[in-house]
Amino acid sequence: HPVSAYAQKNKIALSEKTVTFELRVPIGIHAGVALDPAFGQASPRGEVPALLDGGTRIFDSTIILEYIEEKWPEPPLLPADPAARARARMIEDAMDTHYEAIKWGLGEIRFMGRAKGELAETIEANAARQVAAWQRWLEKQLAGAEWFGGASFGRADLSVIPYINGSAGFGLAPAPGSTLAAWAARANARPAVA
């Protein structure tokens, strides 16, 4: 799905590895049930993304990233050092489990009208504080490096950029002039991200 950060990170990984792929948007997903039978076979949870590679069917964006890295190891998207690899995976997990929830909640308010008036304002103010806290954490993770993995774009970067871009769409972009804003500009300039 075009707005799924989970699907975006898989598309970025495939593009970084110059793997040719075809995108298909499911016919429909309702309450976690895939209305498209082919998609339902690939993703029994009825969630995007799903990867079909010959007879192989994989769901869950993190498991798909592991498969992509193992099947197409060049260029590597995970650092060689085990501690750095674990760090990249922790950054991805934080984005998928915490940042995504904030972004999703904002979408529920802005696009689905789940809250109005003062309640919506309170939730949005809380979300802005939470996003700012996560962006400060991400700044610390960069630690002045060009990429989250150091010298090269990798798994942590492709796991963060969809969420940063998503929150920017809600007016919650990294502070102008910040290390995170400079990183986001570099990441968005990459053909795989653009």
Side-chain angles (χ1 to χ4, degrees):
H1 194 274
V3 298
S4 167
Y6 300 118
Q8 289 173 28
K9 68 182 186 179
N10 291 152
K11 293 185 292 188
I12 294 168
L14 288 166
S15 295
E16 284 287 330
K17 291 178 176 285
T18 65
V19 175
T20 302
F21 60 96
E22 176 188 351
L23 294 175
R24 293 187 192 165
V25 177
I27 292 169
I29 301 171
H30 178 69
V33 176
L35 302 177
D36 182 335
F39 177 69
Q41 290 173 353
S43 180
R45 297 188 311 198
E47 299 171 348
V48 294
L51 176 71
L52 286 68
D53 181 28
T56 302
R57 306 281 188 266
I58 305 169
F59 62 92
D60 186 89
S61 62
T62 299
I63 297 169
I64 293 169
L65 282 179
E66 295 293 337
Y67 179 82
I68 291 168
E69 189 71 9
E70 291 168 4
K71 179 147 185 191
W72 299 284
E74 295 300 324
L77 295 174
L78 280 169
D81 175 65
R85 291 168 82 92
R87 186 173 160 277
R89 289 179 173 118
M90 288 187 295
I91 291 170
E92 176 190 0
D93 186 69
M95 295 297 96
D96 285 355
T97 59
H98 292 276
Y99 207 111
E100 167 63 7
I102 301 163
K103 191 173 73 66
W104 185 274
L106 288 169
E108 288 287 323
I109 293 168
R110 300 247 180 113
F111 305 126
M112 305 300 280
R114 304 279 190 217
K116 305 269 189 218
E118 188 176 324
L119 176 59
E121 291 171 14
T122 299
I123 293 170
E124 288 188 7
N126 288 337
R129 280 192 295 279
Q130 292 168 343
V131 165
W134 278 109
Q135 289 180 358
R136 285 190 302 276
W137 181 80
L138 288 167
E139 288 255 348
K140 289 178 186 173
Q141 299 308 304
L142 273 170
E146 184 174 5
W147 303 109
F148 283 100
S152 61
F153 182 90
R155 171 94 167 251
D157 301 287
L158 67 85
S159 297
V160 173
I161 195 61
Y163 294 109
I164 293 298
N165 288 340
S167 61
F170 290 110
L172 301 172
S178 68
T179 303
L180 190 60
W183 166 86
R186 284 191 303 278
N188 281 317
R190 295 183 72 79
V193 177

